């Protein structure tokens, strides 16, 4: 481990920065498939999110884990890092599994009383300190609140923090929240307010009487909020993980006063946490360079060898990103948008209160194209003749998509409409609503259903998938379920639409083909996916010097694909 870790540490030190490395053990919160060994935990109680029953650790196995922490810390120090953070007291990992009475049912010296349940943590702290000495920084990441009935509470955490500080061998405390049983709190999404967990660090700091520094985290997405939290005395340091993934230049931009140039993390979860839990490389909706730094990262964008006259058609995220990158490379860029405002489909998504922060994507991109001098023409439909009448060197078509409306009996009724009709407010929605997911099973369906439930509508969602919201990041799905179910929504899986006749809807089970008759439906809302708006691209093919189509115009997908393709085509021009 040491040579690879040393390369990373040396790279960080080149920029006069410090680097601490987290050392942790997930315990019951992983899968046997990764290690091909049984899971270990304090007691044989499975994690609700994982489902595997772990092995109750024997005394010699506890000693092995303690030794593992110590040797891990030694390797971290030998690699030249500046500190080690004991990580797995947070997020419900193995040390938290010992400390929490919910997961520790032992009757030996590692169970029962708080002193016994914390024994392994103090053994880890002592063993690490013995290996690394007194002049090496050692911190502990704590669970501010597990948000699980019977788990560790905020009051428990404050007592744990006091005991750790009294122990006398730790240099700082970091705060987090949640376990895998309450995963929504571990990486809070845009449903949570900014700075949602400031109170956790503030209370912990007060509990330990400010004897050691406390790090605050949790939807702290910009330096202004971070400074406010510090000024409030709520924390001594600020942790910004997803914010730094979204914009790794955030500290430099803040230092230089370029706050409007910061890409703010929107807490969407779609390309970071969701991809990681699917075993895919980490990405970011807003920052296409995340995980592709060698290809797209800082310093890789080169000026164009030849300045071109570039036309971008479409002012959604794909078109805006293409215009931004092309302009940065020195091209003369004109962008046309047929609507009177930039943003494309993102503007529709932000009509849902819990998805409003998607607007930050457009806010950032609009700011950049304005600063770069891109000529923007709004309220103008671009035709084939309009393009061919000018002398553009390159044309990028980013005309998005339109809702898919499949053929079925009753599709032409006034009470049948699309998600776009609902969110734009172009059609009136009745009291009893059936939202039909065509299989996309993402926020287009779920967000619209929640939007209607918030208005007091009686909502039912049907989906051909095994469960509603199957493609929504599972860290957000539980909060969505809690929201719509408490508002009386009905979620019906494995079911598809057959026909609509007046206020009667016929559906069928996709496996048994058994039909169901639903009467008294005022409105049927279709979330059936989208159709690429590629007519202009097809008309221009073979008639312009250089032609590209990107985003939903190429194939309807999520916003990260649109921004990624905008970035890449801007580099190709």
């Amino acid at each position: 481990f040491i040579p690879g870790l040393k390369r990373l540490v040396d790279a960080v030190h080149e920029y006069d920065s410090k680097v601490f490395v987290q050392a942790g053990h997930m315990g019951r919160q992983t899968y046997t498939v990764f290690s091909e060994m049984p899971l270990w935990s304090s007691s044989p109680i499975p994690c609700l999110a994982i489902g595997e029953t772990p092995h109750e650790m024997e005394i010699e196995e506890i000693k092995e884990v303690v030794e593992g922490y110590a040797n891990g810390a030694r390797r971290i120090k030998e690699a030249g890092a500046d500190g080690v953070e004991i990580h797995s007291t947070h997020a419900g990992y193995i040390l938290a599994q010992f400390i929490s009475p919910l997961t520790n049912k032992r009757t030996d010296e590692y169970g029962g009383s708080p002193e016994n349940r914390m024994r392994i943590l103090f053994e880890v702290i002592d063993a690490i300190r013995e290996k690394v000495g007194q002049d090496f920084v050692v911190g502990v990441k704590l669970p501010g609140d597990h948000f699980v009935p019977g788990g560790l509470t905020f009051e428990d955490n404050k007592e744990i923090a006091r005991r750790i500080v009294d122990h006398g061998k730790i240099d700082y405390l970091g705060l987090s929240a949640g376990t895998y049983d309450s995963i929504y709190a571990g990486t809070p999404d845009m449903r949570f307010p900014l700075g949602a967990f400031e109170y956790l660090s503030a209370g912990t700091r007060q509990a330990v009487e400010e004897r050691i520094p406390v790090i605050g985290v949790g939807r702290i997405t910009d330096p202004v909020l971070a400074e406010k939290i510090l000024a409030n005395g709520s924390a001594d340091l600020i942790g910004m993980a997803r914010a730094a993934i979204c914009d790794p230049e955030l500290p430099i931009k803040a230092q230089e006063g370029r706050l409007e140039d910061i890409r703010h993390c929107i807490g969407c979860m779609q390309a970071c946490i969701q991809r990681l839990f699917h075993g895919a490389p980490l990405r970011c909706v807003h920052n296409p360079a995340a995980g592709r730094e060698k290809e797209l990262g800082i310093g890789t964008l080169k000026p164009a060898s030849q300045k071109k006259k570039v036309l971008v058609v479409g002012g959604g995220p794909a078109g805006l990103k293409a215009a931004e990158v092309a302009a940065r490379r020195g091209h003369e860029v004109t962008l046309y948008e047929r609507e009177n405002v930039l943003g494309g489909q993102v503007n529709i998504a932000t009509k849902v209160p819990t998805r409003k922060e998607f607007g930050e994507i457009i806010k950032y991109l609009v700011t950049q194209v304005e600063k770069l001098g891109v000529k923007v023409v709004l309220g103008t439909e671009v035709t084939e003749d309009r393009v061919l009448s000018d002398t553009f060197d390159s044309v990028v078509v980013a005309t998005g998509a339109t809702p898919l409306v499949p053929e079925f009996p009753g599709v032409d009724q006034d009470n049948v409409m699309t998600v776009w009709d609902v969110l734009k407010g172009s059609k009136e929605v009745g009291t009893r609503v059936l939202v039909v997911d065509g299989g996309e099973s993402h926020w287009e369906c779920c967000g619209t259903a929640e939007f209607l439930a918030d208005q007091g509508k009686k909502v039912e969602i049907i989906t051909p998938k095994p469960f509603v919201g199957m493609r929504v990041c599972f860290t957000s799905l539980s909060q969505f379920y809690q929201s719509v179910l408490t508002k009386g929504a009905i979620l019906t899986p494995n079911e598809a639409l057959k026909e609509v006749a007046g206020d009667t809807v016929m559906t069928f089970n996709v496996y048994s083909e058994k039909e169901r008759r639903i009467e008294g439906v005022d409105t049927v809302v279709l979330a059936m996916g989208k159709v690429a708006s590629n007519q202009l691209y097809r008309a221009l093919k073979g008639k312009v010097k250089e032609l590209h189509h990107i985003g939903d115009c190429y194939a309807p997908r999520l916003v990260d694909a649109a921004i990624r393709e905008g970035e890449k085509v801007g580099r190709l021009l």
Side-chain angles (χ1 to χ4, degrees), residues 340-362:
N340 291 318
V341 62
L342 295 169
Q345 294 176 54
V346 171
N347 294 335
I348 302 173
T350 57
K351 301 295 184 182
V352 178
T354 56
R355 312 303 288 168
K356 279 189 179 299
E357 283 193 56
F358 264 100
E360 283 290 332
I361 294 174
I362 302 304

Side-chain angles (χ1 to χ4, degrees), residues 12-59:
V12 173
H13 283 165
E14 282 182 26
Y15 295 92
D16 194 29
S17 295
K18 303 299 181 184
V19 53
F20 296 178
V21 181
Q22 293 177 325
H25 188 302
M26 299 178 79
R28 68 177 191 155
Q29 291 185 172
T30 182
Y31 293 97
T32 295
V33 68
F34 294 133
S35 65
E36 298 184 345
M37 297 175 66
L39 305 185
W40 283 5
S41 188
S42 53
S43 297
I45 302 172
C47 167
L48 294 178
I50 302 297
E52 288 191 36
T53 300
H55 162 71
E56 181 175 309
M57 293 169 64
E58 300 172 49
I59 297 298

Side-chain angles (χ1 to χ4, degrees), residues 198 201-203 205-206 210 227-236:
E198 179 181 352
S201 58
R205 191 168 182 262
Q206 185 177 22
E210 303 178 19
E227 291 288 355
K228 182 180 178 182
I229 292 171
L230 294 174
N232 290 344
S234 298
D236 301 285

